Amino acid sequence: MAYDLAVGKSKYVKDAPVIVASICFSEYPLICALLKKSDNFFLRRVCDQFSDSSFSIVELRQARTELGVLLIGDLSDGERQLLHKFLAAIGYALDKGEMLHGISD
């Protein structure tokens, strides 16, 4: 099972969103570990692997700032890699000026 992060006008195939990253089931313990370090709205929403989520440009800017602060903390290699994955997906969405969608599959 994966949770895909897609960038586009919507999550629907007709709008041709681009899948920029996926979260594997094995990465969920890393998300939980990061949530223990910071109660972050972005992490809370992607942690719900059974529900789709969409993030507006304003939310993406906030998430980029909050996740960036986590990068300078004491992290395991896996936590740091996951943060880089999230920040890359968020950065791509912001560069495109489009929403980021978490799609459960």
Side-chain angles (χ1 to χ4, degrees):
M1 173 178 222
Y3 189 82
D4 294 327
L5 297 174
V7 173
K9 186 169 87 172
S10 81
K11 65 180 182 177
Y12 299 109
V13 173
K14 68 179 178 128
D15 291 322
V18 177
I19 296 174
V20 295
S22 292
I23 304 168
C24 299
F25 185 71
S26 62
E27 292 175 304
Y28 279 90
L30 295 171
I31 296 172
C32 292
L34 289 170
L35 274 168
K36 287 181 182 177
K37 294 176 183 188
S38 172
D39 185 22
N40 180 287
F41 82 96
F42 181 85
L43 294 173
R44 270 187 275 121
R45 285 177 50 194
V46 297
C47 194
D48 182 1
Q49 61 188 334
F50 301 109
S51 299
D52 292 350
S53 269
S54 291
F55 300 93
S56 68
I57 299 294
V58 170
E59 289 174 319
L60 291 173
R61 287 185 185 127
Q62 179 184 350
R64 179 179 58 190
T65 300
E66 291 178 7
L67 294 176
V69 169
L70 274 175
L71 270 178
I72 60 172
D74 183 29
L75 302 172
S76 71
D77 290 341
E79 291 167 342
R80 190 170 306 282
Q81 289 171 355
L82 185 60
L83 278 178
H84 284 177
K85 181 190 294 193
F86 289 148
L87 288 167
I90 289 167
Y92 182 81
L94 288 171
D95 284 349
K96 291 292 184 180
E98 296 183 324
M99 294 176 69
L100 180 68
H101 308 280
I103 305 167
S104 133
D105 63 7

